Amino acid sequence: MRLENILLDHGSGGLFTQELVEKVFLPRLDNPILSEFGDSALIDMGPWGAGRIAFTTDSYVVDPIFFPGGDIGALAVSGTINDLCMRGAVPLFLSLGLILEEGLAMDDLEQVIGSIQAASCSAGVQVVTGDTKVVPRGKADKIFINTSGIGVIKNGADISSSKASVGDAVILSGTMGDHGATILASRHGLAFEGNLKSDVTALNRMIEALMNAVPKDAIHTMRDPTRGGVATALNEIARTAGVAIEIDEGNVPVKPEVKTACEILGLDPFYLANEGKCLAIVDEKAAESAVYSMRLMPEGRDAALIGRIKDGRPGQVVLRTKIGGCRILRPLSGEPLPRIC
């Protein structure tokens, strides 16, 4: 049934977003590059005498704009850098588009721009172009940011969701659900024991260490499990590659405070957003070296092998539970927490 209006669910990154892309965008805009559905587009610049580049764009509308572990500025820089990294690119340049609401405190804007400066300098990328618009009070919510990014693909790197193969190892670079739980707690003034904070960070140095630690052709797929969480990202990989994925719940790292928040609020950490984590699908012979290389970096110290690519029903993700049962992990349906990034 065709809906007459856009719903919040269409921005969830889950089933409604997939339906919007397939029924509205692709019939009008499709081309071989767009239809890969990667975190960034991989463009061969050979006809223009250059190599391959990765190109991506994302918009950030998170509420609140300041939260434990980061703010909308750090999120905008790190998120776009991570989208480039997921194709094996070295991030180089960013654009910065700002939509400001009339009345935004100048101190808040300066703090956000300071975070953008710190995050881009730390990651070794430059903001090289930008644009600012101001809309009347009530026509936006404080500040919205769009960042686009360009990176170069290293020779030999060939990373795509379609390359996940039976027997491959599934690796998660750290604890699951930190960002989603933090935003939820901040938005509603909830207090949980422990040090609950967002995992927002750029992953380019950890990805570089990973790519240097294993043969270049051993890394088949990488995705950052942002909106829709780990469950939705795994489903996207399984559907694109036409494979089945089996995850061992006991091996998936989750912080105690995130578990507590999910138990109290009735949420599933597999569907909470992450902003500094990576799913890597690698050749099983390189799995141990891949996990070891991630753990040597601060942003990958909790990396774990959480599952395998299986010869099962194409597109299906199965979770083996801690008590010995199993359940199907489906893509996110519904929008439990809008404006998460």
Side-chain angles (χ1 to χ4, degrees):
M1 183 179 69
R2 182 179 184 275
L3 295 172
E4 295 297 323
N5 301 100
I6 287 293
L7 307 176
L8 280 174
D9 285 0
H10 287 116
S12 69
L15 288 173
F16 271 55
T17 303
Q18 178 187 331
E19 182 180 279
L20 187 68
V21 170
E22 293 179 348
K23 294 186 176 180
V24 178
F25 300 154
L26 282 184
R28 295 163 175 83
L29 304 174
D30 195 20
N31 58 66
I33 297 174
L34 182 64
S35 61
E36 282 194 47
F37 290 118
D39 283 311
S40 55
L42 186 60
I43 303 172
D44 185 355
M45 301 294 287
W48 296 275
R52 296 179 302 158
I53 66 168
F55 179 40
T56 191
T57 189
D58 208 340
S59 299
Y60 298 87
V61 297
V62 66
D63 176 36
I65 62 173
F66 301 106
F67 48 83
D71 61 33
I72 192 171
L75 183 65
V77 171
S78 301
T80 296
I81 287 174
N82 293 343
D83 283 343
L84 294 171
C85 292
M86 296 303 107
R87 298 304 298 269
V90 177
L92 296 176
F93 303 112
L94 297 177
S95 71
L96 176 65
L98 299 172
I99 297 176
L100 309 178
E101 183 189 19
E102 178 189 21
L104 173 69
M106 192 62 73
D107 285 348
D108 288 348
L109 177 61
E110 289 181 351
Q111 185 174 340
V112 169
I113 300 303
S115 292
I116 290 172
Q117 177 191 30
S120 57
C121 288
S122 175
V125 301
Q126 292 178 284
V127 177
V128 294
T129 187
D131 179 63
T132 301
K133 297 289 190 300
V134 179
V135 298
R137 196 184 303 268
K139 299 297 183 182
D141 189 0
K142 296 180 279 294
I143 178 172
F144 296 154
I145 299 178
N146 174 272
T147 44
S148 297
I150 291 176
V152 295
I153 305 292
K154 286 188 173 181
N155 289 334
D158 187 13
I159 298 170
S160 167
S161 291
S162 65
K163 294 187 176 299
S165 303
V166 173
D168 284 352
V170 180
I171 297 168
L172 180 61
S173 67
T175 52
M176 177 175 65
D178 298 9
H179 180 73
T182 300
I183 295 299
L184 183 63
S186 298
R187 190 177 297 173
H188 299 289
L190 304 175
F192 300 103
E193 292 186 357
N195 186 28
L196 186 61
K197 65 179 183 180
S198 170
D199 57 353
V200 57
T201 192
L203 297 175
N204 52 326
R205 291 191 173 86
M206 185 193 74
I207 297 300
E208 183 178 7
L210 168 64
M211 296 181 70
N212 289 333
V214 301
K216 286 186 172 57
D217 61 358
I219 305 173
H220 296 162
T221 301
M222 288 194 288
R223 295 299 294 259
D224 55 343
T226 52
R227 290 178 304 166
V230 169
T232 301
L234 289 172
N235 272 273
E236 291 171 354
I237 294 169
R239 185 181 69 251
T240 303
V243 299
I245 299 177
E246 184 174 293
I247 300 299
D248 186 339
E249 185 180 27
N251 291 341
V252 181
V254 185
K255 287 180 178 174
E257 48 268 44
V258 173
K259 286 183 181 177
T260 300
C262 289
E263 289 169 357
I264 292 174
L265 299 169
L267 298 174
D268 186 339
F270 277 93
Y271 295 94
L272 290 182
N274 311 269
E275 291 294 344
K277 301 294 165 29
C278 163
L279 283 164
I281 314 296
V282 304
D283 188 298
E284 60 177 340
K285 293 190 289 293
E288 186 175 340
S289 298
V291 172
Y292 181 75
S293 70
M294 287 181 170
R295 288 178 176 173
L296 291 179
M297 307 298 289
E299 55 271 39
R301 59 180 176 274
D302 297 315
L305 197 162
I306 64 170
R308 299 281 180 183
I309 306 296
K310 294 286 187 176
D311 185 16
R313 181 179 176 182
Q316 188 172 75
V317 180
V318 176
L319 180 69
R320 294 290 175 187
T321 67
K322 293 179 180 177
I323 59 173
C326 68
R327 70 180 173 101
I328 305 298
L329 276 182
R330 304 188 188 282
L332 177 66
S333 178
E335 178 55 293
L337 190 60
R339 297 185 60 189
I340 194 73
C341 59

